[in-house]
Amino acid sequence: MYRITTDEISSDQVTALPKEALLIYAEILGVLELVPWQGDPMNDENPNGPLRTLAFGQFGMITYLILDDQLRVDLVDVTWV
């Protein structure tokens, strides 16, 4: 199981999520803990790269970095439009 970390910016972004996004966001964290490679590569030219994105809900996206050697996923950006 991977450990999820958030920096100050990502934490602020999560705090700003609307109520309807929070449950979906929590479900996405569960996915990232188990299968973080399920997300799409940030750079299509590097499909195996550790910087990934994963959509959540109809209008949300998480960008994250997978650190396999540490079993850690660092949230880089959380967006809800």
Side-chain angles (χ1 to χ4, degrees), residues 35-63:
V35 287
W37 288 100
Q38 180 175 331
D40 297 319
M42 183 69 166
N43 181 353
D44 289 334
E45 293 179 19
N46 186 11
N48 297 319
L51 189 60
R52 316 291 284 184
T53 62
L54 189 59
F56 70 100
Q58 190 173 359
F59 303 109
M61 179 172 293
I62 295 175
T63 303

Side-chain angles (χ1 to χ4, degrees), residues 2 36-38 49-52 64-68 72-74:
Y2 287 78
W37 288 100
Q38 180 175 331
L51 189 60
R52 316 291 284 184
Y64 58 96
L65 178 66
I66 302 169
L67 302 165
D68 266 340
R72 190 174 94 197
V73 172
D74 291 346

Side-chain angles (χ1 to χ4, degrees), residues 9-34:
I9 293 171
S10 295
S11 292
D12 290 345
Q13 292 168 333
V14 170
T15 300
L17 288 174
K19 284 188 225 180
E20 64 269 17
L22 292 176
L23 180 59
I24 300 165
Y25 173 76
E27 291 172 357
I28 288 297
L29 291 183
V31 169
L32 292 178
E33 285 178 334
L34 298 175

